[in-house]
Amino acid sequence: MAYIISELNLERQKLLAKVLAPVTDRLLSVLQLPSGARGLDLGCGMGETTRQLARTLDKPNEIVGLELNPDLVETAKKLSSGEQDDVSFEQGDVSALEFVTTVSILFSHVTC
């Protein structure tokens, strides 16, 4: 499988994150996540949403961004350097997790 998102189109990813940030903020505020929650951002790319989640939560315990592409994991780590101690990024394959993961139906029930 070819991996389309890469360092080669990092500017496109930054623009996409900027465009989606207000929508993500509204979604996170509607969810009313509890203080001290742990988070997992699957397919985190360069980590924009991962960091946004950490900023939204009041005193998060741990937020982990999981990404298949090791170059993007390194980019996420660089962009997060010195920003948030409770955020980490790991290289991994979502399909190798011991969970069946779907969020599309969950998000369709959230009113923003």
Side-chain angles (χ1 to χ4, degrees), residues 3 5-7 9-18 41 43-52 65-67 69 71-81 83 87 89:
Y3 201 78
I5 299 174
S6 70
E7 287 280 331
N9 59 11
L10 188 57
E11 291 307 313
R12 179 186 156 278
Q13 290 181 59
K14 288 180 183 178
L15 177 61
L16 184 59
K18 184 177 180 179
D41 183 12
C44 69
M46 61 182 201
E48 289 296 322
T49 303
T50 314
R51 289 186 294 278
Q52 190 173 2
L66 184 70
E67 171 58 47
N69 185 316
D71 293 333
L72 287 175
V73 172
E74 288 307 310
T75 298
K77 288 178 180 179
K78 287 176 192 172
L79 291 173
S80 299
S81 179
E83 188 175 316
V87 176
F89 296 94

Side-chain angles (χ1 to χ4, degrees), residues 41-100:
D41 183 12
L42 301 174
C44 69
M46 61 182 201
E48 289 296 322
T49 303
T50 314
R51 289 186 294 278
Q52 190 173 2
L53 175 60
R55 287 190 299 268
T56 301
L57 291 173
D58 180 34
K59 301 178 185 174
N61 286 338
E62 176 184 27
I63 308 295
V64 177
L66 184 70
E67 171 58 47
L68 181 63
N69 185 316
D71 293 333
L72 287 175
V73 172
E74 288 307 310
T75 298
K77 288 178 180 179
K78 287 176 192 172
L79 291 173
S80 299
S81 179
E83 188 175 316
Q84 294 161 310
D85 294 335
D86 45 19
V87 176
S88 64
F89 296 94
E90 298 179 18
Q91 192 278 326
D93 184 349
V94 171
S95 66
L97 296 176
E98 295 180 19
F99 299 93
V100 174

